[in-house]
Amino acid sequence: MSSLSLPPPLTWRYASPHAFYPLAGRIAGIAGQLAVALIAAGLYVGFVVAPTDAQQGEAYRILYVHVPAAWMAMVIYLAMAFWGGVGLVLNARLSFMMMQALAPTGALHALVCLWTGALWGRPTWGTWWVWDARLTSVLILLFLYVGFIALQSSIDDARRADRAGAVIALVGAVNVPIIYFSVQWWNTLHQGASISLRSAPTLAAPMLLGLGLCALGFWALAIAAVLKRLRCIVLERERGAEWVARLAGVTA
Amino acid sequence: MTAALWALGGQGRYVWPAVGVMLALLAIEWIALGRRHRAALCEAALARDDGEGGA
Amino acid sequence: MLRTLAWVIRRDLLLAFRRRADALGALCFFAIAVSLFPLGVGPEPALLRSLAPGILWVVALLASMLSLGRLFAHDFADGTLEQMLLSAEPLPLIVLGKAAAHWLVSGLPIVLLAPLLALLFGLPPDAIGVLVAGLLVGTPVLSLVGAIGAALTLGLRGGGVLLTLLVLPLCVPVLIFGAGAVGAQGSGVGAGAHLLLLGGLLLGAVALTPWASSAALRIALA
């Protein structure tokens, strides 16, 4: 059948792990370099160029890493749920592998957000932990990530692990807005807790620039790390395939 | 300015661990992924040698 | 359709009745765990009164988690679950029935015992009323969302703890609104908004979770 010799159309060409592997490598390489440049620039602007805040002193500079980490933790979870959904609908292995690759990076960003949040809270408000809406939501998000990773690692059958993970990721994604709303509600109703990391300084232009640069840098870094992990997962799961053997330097 | 940068008004002891640990975690993630990649290639080679799998 | 639902609920209630000890276990856990808190934080009445809604809600949450693992496990072990998957009746309906039975066996007794335990903490009567109303609306949500977790972790090693890990973060809104309702009542704001939100969560859970649980069951038994 001559139709088999035509390459698949562009939309589907990269749906196979084999085809996507080299492309992922190239993207990861570029993204990694971009990440280093952007984060370096962002930290420079944030620490050297931006002025000291009148109220919070120098400690506010932590927000340059705290806020992008929080954004990434949330965005990565949504991406995870998205690829899980795509995988369930299209029954595509690569989508599930992408979902698997996203989780540890997302959890790491959530952890960084919590760590930096604690270090921001201490000099500013005097305590190591502040039960404000964002930190609490990120804490619950971290638990969602951990649950996902635990579920995936406790199922031996790859197919069942993929699909179960996709279901929990989607259920979690539907819950995230509800959880965020309820945590906001909880936070504003408890009158005593007028502390909020949201009452960050109103941002002047160089601060915004630093924050933007750091945010873009974190995006690039996340893309690079996730694609790098995806390549590892592809190699591990496609272990018996011919192309992997060739890559590993072993001929048939 | 440099002195201010290092001391950060005494709050440097919060800011630098925050940024430092973050960078360290990201670097560790990157390095770990590199090692995992090499390990996966070795596993693939071994699997092939053992005769697992097909085309 | 209602006949199927009634049949599933009746069957599960009958089976639970034959294993009464299992059902009572969650209730005893509720009572014992709640009683531990004053021993931990001290008997000062004002402190206990302010902590009471949170403690009662959290322990109610944990107590209904305890019996979730058994929701599908018994039927899975004797092959009934596969028959349910193959049957002509819609699987979400069957799951809804099982979750309802689970609530009747594990959740409702907790709701009925809660006022008694609330007295231990010195909650005033109107607060107890709000607490019970909240638990009445909120504990079914726990059973419904828990069913998803039970379906996903069916037959897995480390199942019980994994189930808790998966389900507890999803139950945070119920906890917040339920405990918050009592607090709002106490501070004079009125618990109406909280209870309405809980009701909304319940309706949403009834509408959506059976589908997720069915999908999870099919994945687990594939």
Side-chain angles (χ1 to χ4, degrees), chain C residues 109-121:
Chain C
I110 289 176
V111 174
L112 296 174
L113 187 60
L116 206 62
L117 293 174
L119 284 177
L120 287 180
F121 286 80

Side-chain angles (χ1 to χ4, degrees), chain B residues 18-30:
Chain B
V19 178
V21 167
M22 177 210 86
L23 291 174
L25 284 174
L26 295 176
I28 291 172
E29 186 192 21
W30 191 260

Side-chain angles (χ1 to χ4, degrees), chain A residues 21 47 58-59 65 105 108 112 115 119 122-123 218 221 224-225 228-229 232-233 235-236 239-240 242 244-245 248 250, chain B residues 1 5 8 11 14-15 17-19 21-22 26 29-30 33-34 36-37 40-41 43-45 47-49 53-55:
Chain A
Y21 181 84
F47 278 76
E58 298 292 339
V65 297
T105 303
L108 191 68
V112 166
W115 166 257
L119 283 171
R122 179 67 174 149
F218 270 64
L221 188 62
K228 216 162 136 77
R229 186 176 296 109
C232 295
I233 292 176
L235 285 180
E236 286 161 8
R239 189 180 310 172
E242 181 73 42
V244 174
V250 180
Chain B
M1 196 247 310
L5 195 65
L8 284 185
Q11 291 177 331
Y14 297 106
V15 176
V19 178
V21 167
M22 177 210 86
L26 295 176
E29 186 192 21
W30 191 260
L33 284 175
R36 183 175 172 182
H37 192 256
L41 283 174
E43 286 280 331
R48 194 62 178 182
D49 278 341

Side-chain angles (χ1 to χ4, degrees), chain A residues 9-81:
Chain A
L10 191 59
T11 39
W12 296 116
R13 189 171 303 160
Y14 292 109
S16 91
H18 177 190
F20 191 62
Y21 181 84
L23 179 64
R26 284 198 297 276
I27 299 177
I30 299 172
Q33 290 166 353
L34 258 179
V36 171
L38 284 169
I39 292 181
L43 286 179
Y44 175 76
V45 169
F47 278 76
V48 178
V49 175
T52 311
D53 179 58
Q55 289 173 309
Q56 296 192 13
E58 298 292 339
Y60 92 95
R61 296 185 192 275
I62 294 181
L63 84 76
Y64 294 114
V65 297
H66 172 78
V67 172
W71 287 344
M72 286 321 298
M74 302 223 177
V75 165
I76 288 177
Y77 194 84
L78 292 175
M80 219 169 83

Side-chain angles (χ1 to χ4, degrees), chain A residues 64-194:
Chain A
Y64 294 114
V65 297
H66 172 78
V67 172
W71 287 344
M72 286 321 298
M74 302 223 177
V75 165
I76 288 177
Y77 194 84
L78 292 175
M80 219 169 83
F82 172 75
W83 286 114
V86 168
L88 282 176
V89 168
L90 296 181
N91 205 13
R93 245 176 17 252
L94 189 60
S95 309
F96 289 127
M97 292 183 197
M98 185 66 171
M99 176 188 74
Q100 241 184 323
L102 283 163
T105 303
L108 191 68
H109 281 271
L111 207 58
V112 166
C113 176
L114 294 175
W115 166 257
T116 52
L119 283 171
W120 188 2
R122 179 67 174 149
T124 327
W125 308 112
T127 49
W128 283 111
W129 182 260
V130 175
W131 285 100
D132 93 318
R134 182 166 60 223
L135 274 185
T136 312
S137 302
V138 172
L139 182 65
I140 299 175
L141 197 62
L142 181 63
F143 295 149
L144 287 174
Y145 274 118
V146 170
F148 174 85
I149 295 172
L151 181 66
Q152 287 244 298
S153 56
S154 69
I155 304 178
D156 296 323
D157 172 33
R159 185 182 152 81
R160 179 177 167 184
D162 283 345
R163 305 180 83 84
V167 169
I168 195 68
L170 284 168
V171 169
V174 167
N175 261 269
V176 160
I178 302 176
I179 293 174
Y180 190 67
F181 169 70
S182 64
V183 169
Q184 285 268 40
W185 177 285
W186 163 82
N187 197 251
T188 51
L189 282 188
H190 288 257
Q191 298 301 318
S194 54

Side-chain angles (χ1 to χ4, degrees), chain C residues 115-142:
Chain C
L116 206 62
L117 293 174
L119 284 177
L120 287 180
F121 286 80
L123 277 184
D126 57 339
I128 297 182
V130 171
L131 178 70
V132 172
L135 282 173
L136 198 61
V137 178
T139 40
V141 182
L142 302 180

Side-chain angles (χ1 to χ4, degrees), chain C:
Chain C
M1 232 172 57
L2 276 180
R3 268 223 325 257
T4 314
L5 198 62
W7 178 85
V8 172
I9 295 178
R10 213 181 112 248
R11 175 178 175 272
D12 266 33
L13 286 178
L14 193 61
L15 288 175
F17 188 69
R18 289 180 187 160
R19 293 192 194 94
R20 271 189 296 269
D22 283 354
L24 288 177
L27 202 61
C28 292
F29 172 80
F30 185 55
I32 295 175
V34 165
S35 314
L36 285 179
F37 277 88
L39 293 171
V41 302
E44 201 224 303
L47 178 66
L48 288 181
R49 209 173 303 128
S50 68
L51 287 179
I55 293 173
L56 286 164
W57 262 99
V58 171
V59 181
L61 200 72
L62 296 175
S64 38
M65 295 280 125
L66 278 182
S67 46
L68 270 176
R70 287 188 296 274
L71 186 60
F72 297 116
H74 291 310
D75 286 338
F76 179 56
D78 64 14
T80 320
L81 196 60
E82 283 181 10
Q83 296 303 314
M84 286 176 174
L85 256 71
L86 291 170
S87 86
E89 304 297 330
L91 190 58
L93 195 64
I94 297 176
V95 169
L96 192 61
K98 289 188 76 65
H102 175 264
W103 176 72
L104 286 171
V105 170
S106 299
L108 192 55
I110 289 176
V111 174
L112 296 174
L113 187 60
L116 206 62
L117 293 174
L119 284 177
L120 287 180
F121 286 80
L123 277 184
D126 57 339
I128 297 182
V130 171
L131 178 70
V132 172
L135 282 173
L136 198 61
V137 178
T139 40
V141 182
L142 302 180
S143 296
L144 286 165
V145 173
I148 305 178
L152 283 171
T153 55
L154 196 57
L156 293 179
R157 58 177 188 278
V161 177
L162 184 59
L163 175 61
T164 324
L165 189 56
L166 288 176
V167 175
L168 280 180
L170 300 175
C171 295
V172 163
V174 176
L175 172 64
I176 289 177
F177 293 130
V182 184
Q185 173 74 8
S187 64
V189 179
H194 291 259
L195 291 176
L196 281 175
L197 281 166
L198 272 180
L201 285 178
L202 178 59
L203 290 175
V206 169
L208 297 175
T209 58
W211 301 101
S213 304
S214 316
L217 275 178
R218 291 195 193 280
I219 290 170
L221 262 64

